Amino acid sequence: MLVAVEVVGLNPIDWKAPDFGFGLPSLPCISGRDFAGKVVKPPRGNSRFRSGDIVMGISTDYRDSRKAAYQQYAVVSDFNACSSATGCCAVQLAKLAGLKVIAIIDVARSGEPISIVKGITKGKLRFGLDTRGRESTALLAQAMRSEIGLEGKRAHLVGLTGLPKEQTPGVVYHSVPIKTFHEAPNIGEGLMIWLERLFEHNKISTPEIEVAHGGLQGINAALDRLRDGSVNGPRIVVPLELRT
């Protein structure tokens, strides 16, 4: 379906991909992963979407520039309808599952994260999720290492953007096949419908946002703020200029 993009959500990969040379198709290409807007042309056939619906899109299929966020109109797969910042959403889902949650927002500002986490969990940390990268995942693995031998149970660590090169004794590494989201429509749509219902029933909430102005022309300046680390916590969104 075709969506008129009204707001772009900035994702760290939007600056990391060009800076470090990954996740980009052959140039020229259009970047941008997250956006919200209004349906102007719904999918053909049976669909739960109608013209005028407000939707949120996740462009994980970076090889198809028609689906990128940094443009006035974007093509959206039928199952992309809702999203949330990964860490914020994961914490809330863990709490809904009855787990006790410890969240480290910034490793550099958290002192000694390994000793802090070990001190809180007393060697009983069994599940971990990292959304940042291989370095922070390795730190989390060390914090979970004390789980070795505890009642024969092993700790489980999920790294969304990378896993340590060396195995940590007593810790099982898991990766997430993110591309399944758009390669398997039934899975992608099922996850989005589930999240929509959680939002509708106020089970989870969106993260704090910070609005950056300037439309499409202002995106680079906003990305620089992510690049230099001056934004810590809020999600930056950029409204596009109103069409006449």
Side-chain angles (χ1 to χ4, degrees):
M1 64 183 173
L2 184 65
V3 173
V5 179
E6 297 184 352
V7 180
V8 171
L10 302 191
N11 191 309
I13 199 173
D14 293 347
W15 70 264
K16 290 181 180 179
D19 280 20
F20 298 104
F22 70 91
L24 292 174
S26 58
L27 299 176
C29 68
I30 301 174
S31 188
R33 262 65 172 183
D34 306 324
F35 62 90
K38 184 178 295 185
V39 175
V40 295
K41 186 176 182 180
R44 297 176 180 176
N46 294 328
S47 173
R48 61 196 183 97
F49 297 106
R50 299 290 183 268
S51 294
D53 284 350
I54 301 299
V55 297
M56 298 178 70
I58 307 170
S59 178
T60 56
D61 188 5
Y62 61 85
R63 291 181 177 86
D64 190 344
S65 291
R66 299 175 305 166
K67 300 179 181 179
Y70 295 174
Q71 52 191 338
Q72 291 183 320
Y73 294 89
V75 173
V76 182
S77 299
D78 197 5
F79 54 84
N80 284 351
C82 181
S83 177
S84 179
T86 305
C88 174
C89 189
V91 167
Q92 295 178 81
L93 292 177
K95 289 184 176 180
L96 285 175
L99 299 177
K100 295 181 179 179
V101 179
I102 299 174
I104 299 177
I105 305 300
D106 191 328
V107 173
R109 300 180 184 180
S110 299
E112 296 292 335
I114 296 178
S115 59
I116 292 174
V117 172
K118 283 186 175 181
I120 295 174
T121 60
K122 307 299 182 183
K124 297 181 180 181
L125 180 60
R126 291 199 55 225
F127 303 103
L129 170 68
D130 182 86
T131 63
R132 185 172 180 84
R134 183 173 294 171
E135 181 178 349
S136 54
T137 305
L139 291 174
L140 181 55
Q142 291 302 314
M144 302 174 73
R145 187 170 183 166
S146 59
E147 180 61 23
I148 301 174
L150 180 63
E151 299 178 356
K153 298 177 181 178
R154 294 185 295 176
H156 296 269
L157 171 59
V158 177
L160 293 185
T161 58
L163 290 168
K165 293 183 178 180
E166 298 182 359
Q167 189 68 40
T168 302
V171 181
V172 181
Y173 295 163
H174 302 274
S175 59
V176 177
I178 296 178
K179 289 186 178 180
T180 303
F181 182 84
H182 66 261
E183 292 177 344
N186 290 338
I187 294 177
E189 183 174 19
L191 288 172
M192 292 301 95
I193 292 175
W194 176 54
L195 283 177
E196 286 176 10
R197 290 172 178 170
L198 291 176
F199 278 116
E200 289 174 359
H201 292 87
N202 295 319
K203 297 294 185 180
I204 60 176
S205 58
T206 57
E208 179 185 355
I209 65 171
E210 179 177 323
V211 178
H213 299 285
L216 290 174
Q217 293 76 16
I219 287 178
N220 281 335
L223 285 176
D224 284 340
R225 298 187 60 208
L226 289 180
R227 185 180 283 109
D228 63 22
S230 59
V231 177
N232 183 29
R235 181 71 181 273
I236 298 181
V237 298
V238 184
L240 302 192
E241 296 179 359
L242 295 177
R243 300 169 182 81
T244 57

